[in-house]
Amino acid sequence: MSNKINRLLLTGAAGGLGKVLRPRMSAMANSVRVSDVAELGAAAACEELVRCDLGDYDGMLALLDGVDSVVHLGGMSTDGPFEPILNANIRGVYNLYEGARIQGVKRILFASSNHVVGFHKQSDRLDATAAMRPDGNYGVSKAFGESLSSFYFDRFGIETVCMRIGSSFPKPIDHRMLSTWLSYDDLTELIRCALFAPSVGHTIVYAASDNQPAWWDNRYAGRLGWTPKDTSEPFRAEIEATVPRLDPTDPAVLYQGGQFVKLGPFPAN
Ligand code: NAI
Ligand code: 15L
């Protein structure tokens, strides 16, 4: 592995993926600043804990002081009313990039989502040039983050890897996840590759394991040097045997975003 990063910031550390990744980050950085708006527990030897709301500009500026790279997992992770998404995912990602510019952060790994392209058909095969077709307030907020990070690369040279994560859970649990599942080990290796690749510019990568049928083609993310090792295949038989098939005309089956395409409309708050 390359030399370690000096100081890494991990946001969203109290969440599902944050809890998995947090202990794995010490292999990649000398010092890890671990952050969330929620309780973070006790600090490990290499950790510094900072509670912070992503929507708090001054708090974010302080959070980014002395940071070399960021793994940005924090934010609302499902669809819902606009105000919480506005605060965490839109204002929050603005605060992150503007703070990164001021504090001299070099690289950000942004946890984007398949819901940026959720209104593409499941029969479509997408690469990084596919049009964004977000499937709700949440997908739109991730599209904003991808656009903002593109601007901050072109204008200010801050590098970003936008990880369009499929479904990262212990195992796939339905037919859709046979295509969208991302194992925790494949996610960890993607993060390692994205942090240590010599140059990433502004890269969009579909973050899924080596699943069939494959919906996504990472031909434009080759410079990351990431190849997923896991696959949903060992879980297929159990899913076929236990999970009922939905009506094939159901939008949740037609579109990549699954059930998200049927959610809402939501109240503003
Ligand atoms: P999660 O909901 O379990 O964790 C998100 C964390 O962000 C929580 O600990 C929460 O307290 C924190 N957070 C929310 N609002 C905040 C705010 N205003 N200020 C500071 N922290 C705030 O989500 P999960 O599953 O761990 O996902 C992590 C990231 O990856 C999210 O950005 C999510 O959108 C993205 N993602 C996850 C996928 C998955 O399959 N787990 C799929 C696609 C994207
Ligand atoms: C996401 O973006 C969510 O954060 C996660 O909870 C799952 O719903 C995932 O997408 C998915 O599409 O399965």
Side-chain angles (χ1 to χ4, degrees):
M1 182 188 285
S2 325
N3 288 335
K4 285 186 177 183
I5 285 161
N6 191 34
R7 184 178 284 117
L8 178 83
L9 168 64
L10 176 69
T11 70
L17 295 184
K19 286 190 178 115
V20 172
L21 291 168
R22 179 174 165 183
R24 301 182 183 200
M25 289 297 109
S26 57
M28 305 187 204
N30 296 320
S31 162
V32 185
R33 189 168 290 161
V34 173
S35 184
D36 203 293
V37 75
E39 169 61 36
L40 287 161
C46 69
E47 288 182 345
E48 180 192 353
L49 310 187
V50 184
R51 297 273 294 271
C52 180
D53 185 326
L54 296 164
D56 169 6
Y57 177 81
D58 292 334
M60 285 295 288
L61 209 54
L63 192 62
L64 290 158
D65 185 20
V67 166
D68 300 295
S69 300
V70 182
V71 177
H72 182 55
L73 305 177
M76 303 305 293
S77 62
T78 55
D79 211 355
F82 185 63
E83 283 298 333
I85 289 177
L86 173 64
N87 179 63
N89 295 19
I90 296 183
R91 184 172 296 112
V93 88
Y94 170 79
N95 290 345
L96 170 68
Y97 276 88
E98 186 53 10
R101 182 188 69 76
I102 291 167
Q103 301 289 23
V105 174
K106 297 177 189 68
R107 189 175 292 186
I108 297 175
L109 276 47
F110 171 54
S112 184
S113 171
N114 71 88
H115 296 288
V116 164
V117 290
F119 262 117
H120 282 279
K121 296 270 181 60
Q122 292 194 6
S123 54
D124 291 343
R125 297 293 169 265
L126 309 182
D127 63 31
T129 66
M132 291 183 183
R133 297 187 74 171
D135 58 24
N137 292 335
Y138 168 68
V140 169
S141 76
K142 293 294 186 180
F144 174 81
E146 291 196 4
S147 295
L148 191 79
S149 62
S150 173
F151 164 61
Y152 270 80
F153 174 65
D154 288 336
R155 180 69 179 84
F156 304 113
I158 298 173
E159 293 191 302
T160 290
V161 177
C162 295
M163 305 181 293
R164 287 185 180 168
I165 302 171
S167 307
S168 196
F169 298 102
K171 62 179 196 173
I173 57 164
D174 59 25
H175 291 92
R176 173 177 171 272
M177 283 197 200
L178 290 172
S179 288
T180 61
W181 184 59
L182 172 68
S183 74
Y184 292 151
D185 286 350
D186 280 342
L187 172 59
T188 304
E189 180 59 9
L190 171 58
I191 286 174
R192 192 190 69 76
C193 289
L195 285 173
F196 292 104
S199 163
V200 299
H202 185 264
T203 298
I204 291 169
V205 60
Y206 291 94
S209 289
D210 183 17
N211 306 324
Q212 295 297 327
W215 293 352
W216 304 314
D217 173 349
N218 276 327
R219 76 179 72 192
Y220 297 110
R223 59 183 159 180
L224 300 182
W226 177 65
T227 307
K229 300 283 188 295
D230 291 320
T231 169
S232 60
E233 215 49 41
F235 303 96
R236 180 179 298 280
E238 185 189 345
I239 288 172
E240 296 290 4
T242 60
V243 182
R245 286 250 177 215
L246 297 175
D247 178 336
T249 64
D250 188 322
V253 175
L254 288 176
Y255 295 104
Q256 294 196 357
Q259 297 290 348
F260 277 51
V261 307
K262 300 198 297 185
L263 299 177
F266 297 101
N269 291 292

